[in-house]
Amino acid sequence: MLIHHYSIINRKDCQMKTFKVERNRLDYILTDMLPVELPQLFTFNNLYLYLEKNHNEIDKVIKELETDKYNINNNNIIFSDKLWKTAPLHFSILKPNNKYRQLSVVNPISAINVYLFLELYQKEILNLLEKKSIFSIRFHTKNNNLFYNSRIKDYIQYKFLKSKRFKKRIVEQTGTYFKLKKYNSLNSFMESKIWYNCTKKYKYFGKCDYKSCFDSIYTHTFKWISAKNVADSKGFRNNNLYTVIDRIMQNINNSTSNGILVGPEFSRMIAELLLQQIDIDVYEKLTTENIINKEDYEIFRYVDDLFIFAFQKENVERIIQTYEKISSNYLLKLNEQKMEILEIPFISTKWLNEISYFSNDIASLFYKKEELNIQKLLNNKELNELCLLKKYINFGALKRKFNEIICHFPDKKNSIVSYALQTFLNKLDIQHNEIKIFSTNISNKKLIAFLDLIFYCYSFYPSFDNTQKLISILNSISQEHNLNDKNFLLSKVIKEYSNIIIGTNLYDIVNLILIMAKYGINFNVNEETILFDRIVKSDDPILLAVYCIYSAYNKEYKAEIYHIVEKIISEKISNIIKKEEIMTYKEFWYILIFYDNPDILNPLKTKMKDIIDEYKNKIKSSKPASTINKLLLEFILNNDKLFFIWDIKNVDIEKEIAYRTYQRSIFKKYGKKTYTSYVGSIE
């Protein structure tokens, strides 16, 4: 257990009260192993609590692995057991460029595998990242402290003030276990003093990135990094950090060496080791050519994005060429389509100016503080009701203006939609801190029109991030006018855009479907048929689980859906032929997701149990992989809450999504000043 300080910040007087909170190293499974882009009902929290309860077993495994790691004379190669190998669950989300990115959910065994690996190699990895970060501006360092945002003090549960059985699910996917250095976002870098100084100092700017970086990483290349310096001892080579990384990345990706999983923060940390080595090779090559860092050029790399400043255009070109050549030694390529060399100062993109004007129009819907103060002095009765939304709003004109911006910049749809939704969200959030948004007697007509405007903007690019912002906006509105009580209003608006929703990439709108389920809103029959057919064709148990939640609005329809779902599950798990390798089957995910479903009939549940029992009985060894597999199987068999939350009534979906969307992570330090100044803009 790690003890950190738990800080409560009082925004009024900036005083900070400190409490001690236990930070468990197992938190890593919650914070760094799952993609953010998952349904709000999928969780590793129950597994986490189970592992915490059985920490003695985990500690024994760690000690055994440590013995094998340092005993170079034995034949025990850590993490080489076939029982470590598992199949992840792949899914796709919409990218900003209208293309799709494949993300992955790791098998629970792999999540534990990674945790154990870090227990053995954490210090070594962090030391290397710190030591080799010559150009990197995003790398992991020491364990993160916990910080508490008082604005949502009624919501954060990560504390030992009342009970040890606190809810840690809130930390899931909200931050990184390790602190990020130097910048935790690309925007914070581009608003920094370093960026500003470089744009003043240098004449030319270059930008490029690695092509399909994570998908292109060949896991064996990690061994190439240390090949020249590895000792002759076979035992040392077997358990050398880079050799083990190669092994781990294959374990969690079903023995695949071509590409590493996209989604878990862990993958970013591991990729950083390789990308930093390329940085060092580039630096050394440029130095031999008398192109000197901090004198002739400066390079900043944020994950797979490269930003280059130089006095001469030729040096920018030379640096890019050097990166191309050296990265090819590690089987990586630069994306030629995204290469760009500009003379400083460069002009801000036109779309940003246009959407900024629209943002001002949105802001004009609300009274400013100065207006409020004047109206209060005049004893305005409307203001006494704390109404911020102005009486007359030309929603049609706003929609036409937004449409024009989209038409002018069709390749910037995501950025434009995201900017607009963020403006709504910021305005609603800021105003909520001091005063209500709507009058208590606001008409349903105006509320529908307001909702319609938001959905209209969203409909042009319903990506996962934009869906999260949309839900966060609904949460903010619902704080004053409970949309659960007025679900007919939200239902009317959603049905206006239902054809767009059901035609969107499934994982991008999955949480919106859950919101509909919570509010008892449903599509029409034809739309349901289309949506369900798409989900069945996706062969994805998580999406199938989400639809089961949705179908509960009608008992007859729910029974019909479950009949089909049970048939699908039965067919899928029948494909698990090699019972001693069940973790390597994608079909095993149907057991992981549905085994604790209270509505699954006993015959199917028995069939799933038989598969688990047969696999469990085949595990005879007491080695670490065997111990962990048995531990997971016992968790599945003996717990009524696994990886999917079936009781949606006990989950405040909107608040949880709002929390993550606002990025109010308890791992974030508040009050940290950033240097902001406009010089130029890149996306």
Side-chain angles (χ1 to χ4, degrees):
M1 294 282 190
L2 301 177
I3 305 292
H4 288 272
H5 284 135
Y6 179 57
S7 305
I8 296 181
I9 302 171
N10 189 320
R11 287 176 175 261
K12 292 183 178 181
D13 55 16
C14 296
Q15 292 180 349
M16 186 178 291
K17 298 179 181 179
T18 303
F19 299 88
K20 284 187 177 181
V21 169
E22 284 198 39
R23 179 77 186 273
N24 195 323
R25 290 191 293 267
L26 280 168
D27 285 1
Y28 193 88
I29 291 175
L30 296 179
T31 59
D32 289 57
M33 290 311 303
L34 291 176
V36 174
E37 300 86 351
L38 282 171
Q40 200 65 24
L41 299 185
F42 183 87
T43 180
F44 271 177
N45 184 61
N46 298 319
L47 173 66
Y48 167 90
L49 294 173
Y50 179 79
L51 295 175
E52 190 178 41
K53 186 179 179 180
N54 293 272
H55 64 90
N56 289 334
E57 286 292 316
I58 301 293
D59 290 343
K60 288 179 184 178
V61 170
I62 293 172
K63 288 181 181 179
E64 188 173 344
L65 289 168
E66 286 178 337
T67 301
D68 291 337
K69 175 188 176 183
Y70 295 111
N71 187 357
I72 61 176
N73 296 317
N74 67 24
N75 296 318
N76 293 333
I77 304 173
I78 59 175
F79 304 123
S80 62
D81 195 313
K82 67 179 183 179
L83 293 181
W84 288 120
K85 301 184 185 301
T86 67
L89 184 65
H90 303 300
F91 65 97
S92 296
I93 62 163
L94 187 62
K95 293 169 61 179
N97 59 359
N98 269 317
K99 295 181 180 178
Y100 294 93
R101 174 184 287 118
Q102 180 180 274
L103 303 180
S104 303
V105 189
V106 297
N107 182 290
I109 289 292
S110 287
I112 302 171
N113 191 181
V114 169
Y115 163 73
L116 295 171
F117 162 72
L118 285 171
E119 283 292 292
L120 270 62
Y121 291 93
Q122 171 181 310
K123 290 183 180 179
E124 191 173 345
I125 292 172
L126 297 180
N127 287 337
L128 281 170
L129 290 175
E130 185 80 38
K131 183 180 177 181
K132 293 186 168 184
S133 60
I134 184 168
F135 298 143
S136 178
I137 56 173
R138 188 195 189 274
F139 59 91
H140 300 74
T141 182
K142 63 182 180 179
N143 289 62
N144 234 335
N145 291 329
L146 297 176
F147 286 83
Y148 176 83
N149 185 354
S150 60
R151 278 177 80 181
I152 48 173
K153 61 185 178 182
D154 61 328
Y155 189 57
I156 293 182
Q157 302 295 324
Y158 197 114
K159 55 185 177 180
F160 270 148
L161 300 181
K162 294 181 179 180
S163 173
K164 291 185 178 182
R165 299 296 295 177
F166 61 87
K167 297 179 181 179
K168 281 198 177 180
R169 208 173 78 81
I170 189 59
V171 308
E172 201 165 22
Q173 304 164 292
T174 58
T176 58
Y177 182 81
F178 299 112
K179 181 182 177 182
L180 289 176
K181 194 175 177 182
K182 304 172 184 173
Y183 300 96
N184 58 11
S185 73
L186 196 52
N187 284 338
S188 61
F189 165 59
M190 291 187 294
E191 294 176 350
S192 68
K193 189 174 182 178
I194 292 176
W195 173 272
Y196 176 71
N197 287 340
C198 283
T199 58
K200 289 196 302 180
K201 178 179 178 181
Y202 297 99
K203 189 175 180 180
Y204 291 95
F205 167 78
K207 170 190 172 188
C208 58
D209 68 358
Y210 288 96
K211 186 177 182 180
S212 302
C213 182
F214 285 24
D215 294 328
S216 301
I217 291 177
Y218 184 49
T219 65
H220 296 330
T221 56
F222 288 100
K223 293 191 291 188
W224 302 351
I225 297 175
S226 60
K228 299 178 182 179
N229 303 313
V230 172
D232 291 332
S233 169
K234 183 179 179 181
F236 182 80
R237 291 199 305 271
N238 285 335
N239 295 328
N240 169 268
L241 170 64
Y242 294 105
T243 303
V244 177
I245 286 175
D246 178 23
R247 204 173 295 144
I248 292 291
M249 301 315 286
Q250 290 186 62
N251 284 347
I252 69 176
N253 197 18
N254 215 7
S255 301
T256 301
S257 58
N258 293 318
I260 65 175
L261 297 182
V262 182
E265 178 64 31
F266 170 73
S267 294
R268 296 185 185 91
M269 182 172 69
I270 296 303
E272 187 66 22
L273 290 167
L274 176 61
L275 297 177
Q276 283 192 4
Q277 184 60 49
I278 295 174
D279 290 343
I280 290 172
D281 292 351
V282 168
Y283 167 80
E284 292 175 348
K285 178 64 176 174
L286 292 172
T287 303
T288 62
E289 298 176 0
N290 203 31
I291 303 174
I292 308 303
N293 183 38
K294 301 290 179 80
E295 294 183 12
D296 301 307
Y297 72 92
E298 287 186 55
I299 298 172
F300 304 93
R301 180 182 52 74
Y302 187 90
V303 193
D304 60 343
D305 291 310
L306 286 161
F307 306 97
I308 305 161
F309 292 91
F311 290 109
Q312 300 178 23
K313 185 178 180 181
E314 292 77 14
N315 279 344
V316 178
E317 293 171 341
R318 181 58 185 156
I319 290 168
I320 292 175
Q321 291 170 2
T322 306
Y323 262 103
E324 284 183 308
K325 184 176 181 180
I326 290 176
S327 60
S328 67
N329 296 334
Y330 298 92
L331 306 182
L332 293 177
K333 296 180 179 179
L334 296 186
N335 192 340
E336 294 182 359
Q337 294 181 342
K338 292 187 177 182
M339 288 184 187
E340 199 173 8
I341 299 177
L342 303 170
E343 188 173 352
I344 300 172
F346 40 90
I347 302 172
S348 173
T349 51
K350 291 183 179 180
W351 75 265
L352 188 57
N353 292 331
E354 293 294 322
I355 193 60
S356 295
Y357 296 141
F358 182 78
S359 179
N360 292 334
D361 291 335
I362 294 173
S364 70
L365 301 178
F366 305 90
Y367 287 110
K368 297 178 181 178
K369 281 187 179 181
E370 309 86 78
E371 293 176 310
L372 284 171
N373 291 332
I374 293 172
Q375 294 296 326
K376 284 179 180 179
L377 290 172
L378 296 173
N379 293 317
N380 187 301
K381 292 182 179 181
E382 185 186 53
L383 269 296
N384 288 334
E385 293 182 356
L386 304 180
C387 175
L388 280 175
L389 193 59
K390 293 181 177 179
K391 277 188 175 182
Y392 177 74
I393 302 169
N394 192 336
F395 289 105
L398 287 170
K399 289 163 75 173
R400 285 193 299 273
K401 187 173 288 188
F402 189 79
N403 182 71
E404 288 176 5
I405 299 172
I406 294 290
C407 290
H408 290 158
F409 309 99
D411 58 332
K412 302 297 180 187
K413 281 185 181 180
N414 179 62
S415 299
I416 294 168
V417 172
S418 179
Y419 196 106
L421 293 176
Q422 191 64 54
T423 301
F424 278 113
L425 190 54
N426 289 345
K427 196 67 182 176
L428 291 169
D429 182 49
I430 291 170
Q431 303 288 17
H432 262 308
N433 294 324
E434 299 182 6
I435 199 165
K436 289 184 178 180
I437 302 295
F438 309 103
S439 67
T440 53
N441 61 349
I442 186 173
S443 68
N444 289 337
K445 184 179 179 180
K446 180 176 278 190
L447 200 53
I448 285 177
F450 188 66
L451 287 169
D452 180 69
L453 175 62
I454 295 166
F455 269 84
Y456 181 80
C457 296
Y458 165 77
S459 68
F460 284 96
Y461 210 90
S463 66
F464 182 88
D465 287 341
N466 289 337
T467 300
Q468 299 296 86
K469 289 178 181 177
L470 173 70
I471 294 170
S472 300
I473 292 170
L474 296 179
N475 174 66
S476 193
I477 295 172
S478 198
Q479 290 178 40
E480 289 186 22
H481 291 269
N482 194 328
L483 294 177
N484 205 19
D485 296 335
K486 295 186 175 183
N487 64 344
F488 65 94
L489 300 178
L490 185 58
S491 177
K492 184 173 181 174
V493 176
I494 286 178
K495 287 180 179 180
E496 286 289 325
Y497 297 91
S498 58
N499 62 322
I500 294 172
I501 295 171
I502 64 166
T504 301
N505 179 58
L506 293 169
Y507 266 90
D508 289 306
I509 48 95
V510 67
N511 281 327
L512 184 57
I513 294 173
L514 290 176
I515 293 296
M516 291 176 64
K518 186 171 182 180
Y519 287 159
I521 300 170
N522 59 281
F523 299 108
N524 64 43
V525 175
N526 291 335
E527 290 167 344
E528 285 181 342
T529 302
I530 295 170
L531 183 61
F532 187 58
D533 286 347
R534 290 186 65 207
I535 288 175
V536 171
K537 289 177 182 177
S538 73
D539 188 18
D540 189 307
I542 294 179
L543 289 178
L544 207 60
V546 168
Y547 200 86
C548 285
I549 296 291
Y550 165 83
S551 70
Y553 74 87
N554 180 280
K555 289 183 179 180
E556 288 76 16
Y557 186 60
K558 178 182 177 181
E560 179 185 337
I561 291 299
Y562 265 87
H563 179 73
I564 300 171
V565 167
E566 287 190 347
K567 186 178 179 181
I568 292 171
I569 296 172
S570 183
E571 290 175 353
K572 293 295 180 182
I573 64 177
S574 295
N575 294 328
I576 303 176
I577 300 171
K578 296 181 180 180
K579 299 299 193 297
E580 69 279 5
E581 300 177 8
I582 64 173
M583 297 295 177
T584 63
Y585 285 84
K586 176 189 173 182
E587 289 84 355
F588 187 69
W589 277 97
Y590 283 89
I591 295 177
L592 290 173
I593 300 300
F594 282 94
Y595 189 77
D596 64 331
N597 184 305
D599 295 305
I600 292 292
L601 297 177
N602 287 332
L604 178 57
K605 190 155 290 188
T606 300
K607 186 175 181 179
M608 290 190 283
K609 185 178 184 303
D610 289 343
I611 292 174
I612 297 171
D613 286 335
E614 188 172 351
Y615 176 61
K616 187 179 178 182
N617 293 333
K618 289 181 180 293
I619 303 174
K620 305 295 184 183
S621 169
S622 59
K623 292 182 178 179
S626 300
T627 301
I628 297 302
N629 269 264
K630 288 178 182 177
L631 200 62
L632 176 64
L633 297 176
E634 289 169 3
F635 166 67
I636 296 171
L637 292 170
N638 301 321
N639 286 270
D640 58 358
K641 294 180 180 179
L642 300 179
F643 303 101
F644 197 84
I645 303 171
W646 295 104
D647 189 3
I648 193 172
K649 295 178 181 179
N650 289 331
V651 182
D652 204 335
I653 296 178
E654 303 103 304
K655 277 192 176 182
E656 290 189 5
I657 289 174
Y659 176 84
R660 294 177 183 177
T661 305
Y662 286 131
Q663 297 181 345
R664 296 169 172 169
S665 170
I666 56 178
F667 300 95
K668 186 184 293 183
K669 289 189 177 181
Y670 291 86
K672 188 177 180 180
K673 294 182 178 180
T674 56
Y675 188 97
T676 58
S677 180
Y678 176 79
V679 179
S681 175
I682 64 172
E683 294 176 71

